[in-house]
Amino acid sequence: MRISTEEVPAGDSGSDADGRPDLTGPHPGGVFGRLFGRHARPLHRYLARRIGDVADDLVTETFLVALQTRERYDPARGTARSWLYGIATNLLRRHVRQEVRGLRAATRAAGGTETGTTTAAGSPTGSTRRPEPAGWPARSPTSTPGTATPCC
């Protein structure tokens, strides 16, 4: 991990006891420095468990988004920690969606076929059903998941 942080002394929180700092000031650098020092490593661990090597970039982007949207932070709705984790989770989801779109585009460009996608009209182009386990009766094409298929 390339993110270097310093441990924040217990009495130097820059916020009240609940971790709800005032981010509305004209110079939020000190407050964000303390937030980074306190939350960057745990955020990195959270993201690295889910996405791997991209975690460094997502931690950086999380704090950048937090700085740019600090006016939207409402201490009455939650702590700065929960706000930062929400931003990080949204960035993680966006990254995964972009990766999936890129993989699908690469598959189409290579002439491959995708299963489980939908057409513009919303009808499925491929089978999304998993095969039935060996020995189970096959479902009829008109049955829907969760409905019983008559066996006798």
Side-chain angles (χ1 to χ4, degrees), residues 4 9 16 18 24 42 58 60 63 76 79-80 90 94 105 110 129 146 149 151:
S4 76
D16 65 10
D18 291 332
T24 60
L58 290 178
T60 303
F63 282 94
T79 63
N90 288 335
R94 185 178 74 188
R129 292 191 335 199
T149 304
C151 65

Side-chain angles (χ1 to χ4, degrees), residues 48-111:
R49 282 191 306 258
R50 286 154 179 80
I51 200 75
D53 295 335
V54 183
D56 287 343
D57 296 335
L58 290 178
V59 169
T60 303
E61 194 172 350
T62 297
F63 282 94
L64 179 63
V65 169
L67 182 63
Q68 292 170 343
T69 62
R70 67 184 181 272
E71 298 83 25
R72 291 192 228 158
Y73 171 66
D74 182 7
R77 294 184 65 199
T79 63
R81 178 181 182 267
S82 62
W83 179 59
L84 290 169
Y85 274 79
I87 292 170
T89 300
N90 288 335
L91 292 171
L92 175 65
R93 288 178 184 153
R94 185 178 74 188
H95 176 78
V96 169
R97 280 193 306 266
Q98 288 172 341
E99 288 292 313
V100 168
R101 280 188 211 121
L103 290 172
R104 286 182 179 161
T107 301
R108 283 191 303 271

